[in-house]
Amino acid sequence: MLKKTIAAAVLLIFAASSAWATQVKPVNLQKMVEQAERIFMGACVKVEEVTLPSGMKATQYTFRVRRGLKGVDAGDTVTFRQLHSNNRQAVSIPGLPRFKKGQDSLVFLLGDSRLGLTSPVGLQQGVFDVRPTQDGLMVVNGVGNSNLDYELPETNMRSAGLARSEREMLAANQPISLDALASLVVKFERLNQRKAGQ
């Protein structure tokens, strides 16, 4: 009984914090890179419903990594769980991205919670659809890339070594090439590491 009570309390805390997060406060690209434990582009190869030790339902996704940008490498397999969100569950997180088998995505993934659950940074902001075009692969997130330069100081962009064209690209609110966004991720990760080492 005590175990179930603790699990329920933890679930309520998680749900409350998640509900606050679903107000979708914009998270700029530098913060997304800083908060993500793993950043990768890959294909979703498996989707399954699982039951956690607490009794909660979760959706487990498995991705085959094609391009690793932080915490994983190309060829790795990434498996993570999100709170299962459907009409049968009392707790759901509006705006929690879902993935389909065969879908290519660029994902900025938070670290796992004590419950073994995670989510993309900023929910829809941390998941980019990968779209092939004549000019190569383009990526756009669930808010049309409108968050990428949100309250991002010019000094930080300069410190990260962003060229003027890259700064303009962040402010454009348009799809960005995968290669260009990957380059920005690397630059911001280096800046974040330098700041953390100070």
Side-chain angles (χ1 to χ4, degrees):
M1 182 69 177
L2 180 61
K3 213 174 196 180
K4 286 185 177 180
T5 303
I6 291 170
V10 170
L11 178 58
L12 287 174
I13 291 168
F14 177 78
S17 64
S18 297
W20 176 82
T22 59
Q23 295 173 6
V24 191
K25 179 180 178 182
V27 184
N28 66 49
L29 184 59
Q30 181 184 1
K31 291 287 186 186
M32 288 174 61
V33 173
E34 180 182 12
Q35 293 175 18
E37 184 175 281
R38 293 169 285 182
I39 304 172
F40 59 89
M41 191 280 281
C44 182
V45 295
K46 192 173 185 181
V47 179
E48 57 187 325
E49 183 177 314
V50 297
T51 302
L52 301 177
S54 64
M56 288 190 301
K57 300 290 185 185
T59 304
Q60 181 169 285
Y61 297 102
T62 302
F63 275 76
R64 183 174 297 115
V65 177
R66 294 183 180 165
R67 187 167 186 173
L69 297 175
K70 181 180 179 182
V72 292
D73 296 313
D76 287 352
T77 298
V78 173
T79 299
F80 61 93
R81 294 172 175 177
Q82 292 187 161
L83 188 65
H84 188 64
S85 177
N86 64 23
N87 294 332
R88 293 175 293 145
Q89 183 127 338
V91 178
S92 64
I93 303 176
L96 184 66
R98 293 183 180 188
F99 303 93
K100 295 179 181 177
K101 186 175 178 180
Q103 175 183 353
D104 284 328
S105 300
L106 172 64
V107 184
F108 289 66
L109 199 60
L110 293 167
D112 290 341
S113 71
R114 289 184 180 182
L115 296 175
L117 297 168
T118 187
S119 67
V121 177
L123 300 180
Q124 296 178 1
Q125 299 172 70
V127 177
F128 293 75
D129 289 333
V130 180
R131 303 174 179 176
T133 70
Q134 291 180 343
D135 299 322
L137 296 177
M138 304 294 284
V139 293
V140 62
N141 65 13
V143 295
N145 294 347
S146 62
N147 63 301
L148 299 182
D149 72 333
Y150 177 77
E151 294 184 353
L152 180 54
E154 182 77 18
T155 54
N156 287 19
M157 290 190 277
R158 291 184 186 279
S159 296
L162 270 60
R164 180 178 177 180
S165 60
E166 292 175 312
R167 298 195 301 271
E168 291 172 350
M169 183 171 51
L170 283 178
N173 300 343
Q174 294 180 355
I176 297 175
S177 80
L178 174 62
D179 288 341
L181 189 61
S183 174
L184 293 171
V185 167
V186 169
K187 289 180 178 182
F188 280 127
E189 176 64 6
R190 287 176 183 157
L191 175 64
N192 291 337
Q193 287 177 351
R194 289 200 305 270
K195 286 178 174 275
Q198 289 177 351

